[in-house]
Amino acid sequence: MGNTFYITTPIYYPSDKLHIGHSYTTVAADTMSRYKKLRGFDVMFLTGTDEHGQKIERKAEMAGKTPKEYVDGIVGWIINLWKTLDIQYDGFIRTTDEIHEKCVQKIFTKLYEKGDIYKGVYEGLYCTPCESFFTKHQLKDGKCPDCGREVESVKEDAYFFKLSKYQDALISHIENNPDFISPQTRQNEMINNFLKPGLEDLCVSRTTFKWGIPVEFDPGHVVYVWLDALSNYISALGYLSEDDSKYKKYWPCDVHLVGKEIVRFHTIIWPAMLLALGEELPKQVFGHGWLVIDGGKMSKSFGNVVDPEILVNKYGVDAIRYFLMREVAFGQDGNFTNEALITRINSDLANDLGNLLSRTVGMIDKYFGGKLPKEQEANDLDAEIKALAAAVITRYEAAMEKMLFSDALTEVWYFVRRVNKYIDETSPWVLAKDAAQSAKLAGVLYTLAESLRIISVLISPFMPNTPKAISSQLNISGAELQTWDSLKTFGLLEREVAISKGEIVFPRIDIKKELEELANAQKGGA
Ligand code: MSP
């Protein structure tokens, strides 16, 4: 309805602390959410935690805690991590929240009453870390095809969801809505590997453990954790509750952002549940790639996780957010290395952006005692800078609308570098030697300051703090100078720019020394 935008991340298992790979999904969603807020949308950005299931129950047991005690500790830690990463969510749902548990029970009962859930016996294989059922022929070398770990044989009374009934409807929905599964390659994978070979009904309850939402009319059964988890996207909006105004306002979701390994759950099981409930389907499921280490998935069991807190403490949140969104084309896998991170910080942030700001502020200080005079004269290159700003804004917008974050940043940095080159071309230090060139010099410095204003608006969805530093050093105080609309006019900044010198925004890092320190810190050393 109207100008709304609903975006979600997956809800995270609070089984262990999260690593930089998990942060990647959330930073991307936050970036998109901030971009849409900048564009004036009424945004609902939902994240949360997926707290039930056998995996968590076992972890808690090992830790000598009740499952709830166990998850409470980690959920608190996750909420803090999102604060550290400046994640500005609008809703945080825990699957242990009463509103969620009641909603899931109602969904289960509704589907049962409709005949889309029926009772039977489940006999098959289960991967507990992935909370996934498999048949023998789906295994890879006898192990879980998703994570490569051992699976367990299970045989128990269970309820089944008639997934097979929705196979044709799903295929036609996917074919008729080319943006439903994005990027395109994931769509082909779903159709060819899962839908066309045929869907089997899905086991949606378990009886051999307790940590889950009891089936309302048969409490010996707990609801299968994926059916429980997927429902978060609507339970958080009050679906089937007394107050479903948020559901009415925000559903259908504009985009579910998920990692590639869970696209299957979001584009087959989830839409089938919604079809069975008679609800609209989400507009898009976007499956992004993984951050990998030496080509392999980052995972606690492989001992190769990178701790986001260590990185933020060392380099600041904006640098980490920038790196995550810039380094890897969203949708593809990307290798994470400390070296790539520090190289990016040094080249893009310290050299390009940091220098542009400190040179601009430094020159306004040095040549005009901190305040530009009113008398300013344009030079031959100004028209080009203006035109480039307009072109970059258009291309940035096109990239952001497709969630091509890296492309959007590439555009901004193309502009940053061009403006740095403009300094060399106009040589303010030469103009400064001649008093008759004062208006020309002031014009050059104004173009720099105004370019920085434009840059700071464009980077604001990615880097929440750097625009504040730019604004404070250039005394950009009016909120109207920091809106999307303000990008339409090059020259909004008042002419008499008065600077307040501040700290260097991104100090250069000594890469050799830093790599050693970082390796130690990540090993749990320093
Ligand atoms: N609880 C389920 C999701 C239920 S949504 C209804 C789950 N949780 S998770 O904690 O294992 O993963 C959450 C998200 O983090 C997933 O989208 C996953 O792809 C993402 N990532 C985990 N490791 C990752 C990388 N190394 N790189 C990028 N994303 C990664 O799945």
Side-chain angles (χ1 to χ4, degrees):
M1 272 220 314
N3 221 10
T4 61
F5 186 79
Y6 181 26
I7 182 166
T8 67
T9 70
I11 48 173
Y12 295 87
Y13 292 125
S15 52
D16 283 305
K17 288 183 172 181
L18 304 185
H19 54 66
I20 195 82
H22 300 110
S23 312
Y24 180 66
T25 312
T26 309
V27 166
D30 186 61
T31 301
M32 195 59 189
S33 155
R34 284 174 185 268
Y35 166 73
K36 286 288 176 178
K37 285 174 184 165
L38 182 65
R39 300 302 310 268
F41 282 78
D42 173 344
V43 177
M44 172 68 190
F45 165 25
L46 179 72
T47 186
T49 41
D50 183 359
E51 306 185 11
H52 293 123
Q54 201 164 5
K55 174 167 66 174
I56 306 251
E57 192 182 77
R58 285 186 185 162
K59 281 260 179 188
E61 220 171 79
M62 271 156 53
K65 292 183 178 171
T66 66
K68 186 68 170 61
E69 278 166 3
Y70 181 78
V71 293
D72 278 351
I74 300 182
V75 172
W77 181 89
I78 291 175
I79 289 175
N80 262 330
L81 175 65
W82 297 154
K83 272 197 199 121
T84 306
L85 283 165
D86 266 328
I87 305 297
Q88 210 177 57
Y89 50 74
D90 304 291
F92 191 98
I93 183 86
R94 300 182 58 173
T95 55
T96 49
D97 287 343
E98 198 187 340
I99 188 171
H100 174 80
E101 294 194 341
K102 284 207 167 131
C103 178
V104 169
Q105 287 185 319
K106 283 186 189 159
I107 288 175
F108 201 97
T109 305
K110 197 169 165 183
L111 296 181
Y112 180 70
E113 284 168 355
K114 196 187 161 197
D116 272 351
I117 283 182
Y118 61 91
K119 201 166 187 180
V121 176
Y122 180 78
E123 188 166 7
L125 302 158
Y126 196 73
C127 173
T128 305
C130 292
E131 301 282 16
S132 284
F133 297 103
F134 293 106
T135 57
K136 220 175 188 169
H137 74 264
Q138 287 173 323
L139 300 185
K140 225 182 190 168
D141 305 325
K143 302 212 166 117
C144 170
D146 285 347
C147 72
R149 283 176 271 211
E150 296 290 340
V151 291
E152 301 170 45
S153 293
V154 288
K155 182 176 181 190
E156 54 194 74
D157 279 353
Y159 286 92
F160 287 82
F161 171 53
K162 281 190 186 163
L163 190 59
S164 56
K165 179 176 158 188
Y166 294 97
Q167 172 172 324
D168 293 342
L170 288 173
I171 295 178
S172 82
H173 183 80
I174 294 170
E175 286 177 346
N176 294 331
N177 295 276
D179 290 336
F180 176 60
I181 306 181
S182 234
Q184 180 82 30
T185 45
R186 313 234 185 269
Q187 179 175 321
N188 304 338
E189 195 189 330
M190 289 305 121
I191 300 238
N192 299 332
N193 300 357
F194 295 102
L195 284 158
K196 292 254 160 93
L199 292 176
E200 286 173 22
D201 288 352
L202 177 74
C203 178
V204 287
S205 77
R206 305 288 311 272
T207 52
T208 47
F209 66 96
K210 289 272 158 285
W211 182 236
I213 302 176
V215 171
E216 215 175 0
F217 53 86
D218 193 352
H221 290 252
V222 295
V223 176
Y224 172 45
V225 68
W226 269 99
L227 195 112
D228 168 350
L230 288 161
S231 309
N232 90 87
Y233 301 128
I234 52 178
S235 72
L237 302 181
Y239 180 64
L240 298 182
S241 78
E242 273 166 26
D243 178 7
D244 64 355
S245 52
K246 280 196 180 154
Y247 181 73
K248 290 201 175 104
K249 184 173 179 190
Y250 293 111
W251 193 260
C253 186
D254 290 274
V255 56
H256 291 309
L257 208 56
V258 301
K260 63 179 183 178
E261 84 284 15
I262 56 172
V263 168
R264 184 163 60 95
F265 296 93
H266 284 80
T267 58
I268 297 177
I269 301 177
W270 178 226
M273 283 169 65
L274 289 163
L275 287 174
L277 289 166
E279 301 299 335
E280 281 188 77
L281 303 193
K283 291 182 205 154
Q284 185 173 68
V285 175
F286 192 103
H288 66 71
W290 288 340
L291 278 191
V292 295
I293 299 250
D294 300 327
K297 196 182 177 198
M298 201 179 289
S299 149
K300 184 147 187 234
S301 52
F302 305 141
N304 62 359
V305 295
V306 173
D307 182 344
E309 284 188 314
I310 293 180
L311 298 181
V312 170
N313 287 340
K314 272 184 153 303
Y315 309 115
V317 59
D318 281 21
I320 303 308
R321 289 177 59 123
Y322 173 79
F323 175 76
L324 290 176
M325 294 296 96
R326 173 64 185 86
E327 187 69 7
V328 184
F330 205 58
Q332 291 165 23
D333 287 352
N335 211 28
F336 180 93
T337 65
N338 292 335
E339 196 164 3
L341 169 68
I342 297 170
T343 305
R344 277 261 171 232
I345 295 178
N346 276 345
S347 70
D348 299 10
L349 301 181
N351 262 6
D352 296 339
L353 181 59
N355 265 345
L356 178 59
L357 178 64
S358 62
R359 288 168 96 189
T360 303
V361 170
M363 290 190 291
I364 296 177
D365 184 44
K366 184 167 169 198
Y367 301 138
F368 292 106
K371 187 173 176 190
L372 290 185
K374 235 197 204 124
E375 298 70 38
Q376 296 178 9
E377 202 179 297
N379 67 72
D380 296 348
L381 292 170
D382 282 344
E384 188 199 327
I385 298 289
K386 251 190 211 179
L388 183 63
V392 160
I393 293 162
T394 306
R395 294 198 294 259
Y396 168 98
E397 180 181 8
M400 289 303 279
E401 292 298 328
K402 290 196 214 133
M403 289 199 286
L404 297 173
F405 301 115
S406 181
D407 290 4
L409 287 173
T410 303
E411 286 300 331
V412 181
W413 257 257
Y414 181 68
F415 185 60
V416 171
R417 290 184 185 125
R418 178 66 193 88
V419 178
N420 263 324
K421 199 168 144 224
Y422 168 91
I423 303 183
D424 301 329
E425 290 164 343
T426 52
S427 310
W429 44 91
V430 176
L431 297 175
K433 286 188 184 139
D434 180 357
Q437 302 275 17
S438 167
K440 209 162 188 187
L441 175 60
V444 166
L445 298 184
Y446 179 82
T447 297
L448 296 179
E450 178 64 353
S451 298
L452 275 160
R453 182 186 70 80
I454 303 269
I455 291 162
S456 89
V457 176
L458 293 176
I459 63 173
S460 63
F462 295 89
M463 306 162 92
N465 303 294
T466 309
K468 291 180 205 151
I470 296 176
S471 294
S472 104
Q473 297 200 28
L474 292 172
N475 275 312
I476 305 173
S477 51
E480 71 286 357
L481 295 174
Q482 295 162 53
T483 62
W484 181 262
D485 268 357
S486 78
L487 294 173
K488 291 187 185 135
T489 318
F490 193 99
L492 275 191
L493 196 59
E494 69 170 274
R495 287 272 151 194
E496 293 164 277
V497 176
I499 56 98
S500 311
K501 264 188 147 180
E503 285 181 9
I504 302 268
V505 278
F506 295 103
R508 251 193 100 75
I509 299 166
D510 176 340
I511 187 158
K512 192 168 169 283
K513 184 168 152 261
E514 196 68 19
L515 282 177
E516 281 165 19
E517 274 182 37
L518 202 50
N520 271 336
Q522 283 167 350
K523 268 191 230 130

